[in-house]
Amino acid sequence: MCHDLILVTLPYSSPSSCPYHLQERHHVKIWSFDRWVNDNNVSDTFEYVTGWWDYIELVRRFAFRLDAEDVRVVGHYVVDTPPPCERLPMPAVAIATPSVTFALRYDFGSWSLKHPEISEWVVSVQRRTPYRGPLFGLFDPALDLRLLGVDGLAPDFLFGSYHHDQARFSCLLRDEWDVSTLMRIVHHEA
């Protein structure tokens, strides 16, 4: 569930100097995700607070680019950061559009070091139709993450391998660039 606000962006020094027809209108959606962020906001005393906020803002950018209908928290987990060791609460997030839902889990801490290619992201994809387009080597299509276990991601958002089901799969991705690429190609073809 979300609430819409309308923001008017004015590229001029004052509203009166901008012709009305040049004002851009943007809808800002307030999701249950935003309420989770508000309720679990990390203190500025943490060394890795910037990494936490970078993730939060990236989720918001993904939702905006996909014109998401819903963004919600589907689990939470703790990131054990590199020294200075801190424990950051993180949300696993589902971004839903009419044709596809993406569940995201990001860990820049020790969890990613336990996996072969130091993958920081777990992404689950649930589409109405199978995606049979190119994968561009973004992930191992045969890897079944259910065998590894993924803390913090709700069980109903952890799927088998892409080889098993091209409409519902989970994968490991190295960085936000790979996540963005996967989201664009899978959403575009939906």
Side-chain angles (χ1 to χ4, degrees):
M1 167 168 286
C2 76
H3 303 282
D4 287 337
L5 298 174
I6 297 177
L7 293 181
V8 178
T9 305
L10 302 174
Y12 295 88
S13 59
S14 73
S16 61
S17 66
C18 175
Y20 182 77
H21 68 280
L22 294 180
Q23 295 178 6
E24 298 177 35
R25 294 186 180 271
H26 299 281
H27 286 276
V28 176
K29 297 178 180 178
I30 307 299
W31 310 105
S32 61
F33 166 70
D34 295 306
R35 282 188 281 286
W36 187 96
V37 170
N38 182 64
D39 295 344
N40 295 277
N41 202 329
V42 175
S43 168
D44 287 341
T45 61
F46 280 80
E47 286 288 322
Y48 288 94
V49 69
T50 302
W52 190 85
W53 276 111
D54 288 348
Y55 172 62
I56 300 303
E57 290 304 315
L58 185 60
V59 166
R60 289 177 176 151
R61 274 185 258 140
F62 286 153
F64 176 77
R65 291 293 303 259
L66 294 169
D67 195 22
E69 291 183 335
D70 189 24
V71 181
R72 66 188 182 283
V73 174
V74 294
H76 45 83
Y77 53 99
V78 174
V79 170
D80 293 315
T81 68
C85 297
E86 297 173 329
R87 296 177 53 80
L88 296 176
M90 297 290 281
V93 178
I95 300 173
T97 71
S99 57
V100 63
T101 298
F102 298 97
L104 309 173
R105 182 192 187 280
Y106 172 60
D107 190 334
F108 55 88
S110 63
W111 186 86
S112 62
L113 299 176
K114 298 174 188 171
H115 297 90
E117 295 184 18
I118 306 185
S119 301
E120 295 180 335
W121 291 83
V122 173
V123 177
S124 294
V125 176
Q126 184 172 10
R127 291 172 40 110
R128 288 186 296 175
T129 60
Y131 174 75
R132 293 194 171 93
L135 299 176
F136 302 107
L138 292 170
F139 61 90
D140 178 354
L143 181 62
D144 188 340
L145 292 181
R146 296 173 300 183
L147 303 175
L148 297 176
V150 178
D151 292 338
L153 190 59
D156 52 336
F157 281 99
L158 185 59
F159 310 128
S161 71
Y162 174 81
H163 276 312
H164 177 69
D165 185 347
Q166 292 83 32
R168 286 174 40 117
F169 61 91
S170 296
C171 58
L172 291 176
L173 296 170
R174 286 182 296 273
D175 55 35
E176 65 272 14
W177 302 105
D178 288 354
V179 173
S180 180
T181 301
L182 179 66
M183 292 174 102
R184 295 284 288 180
I185 63 175
V186 169
H187 183 257
H188 177 72
E189 295 291 328

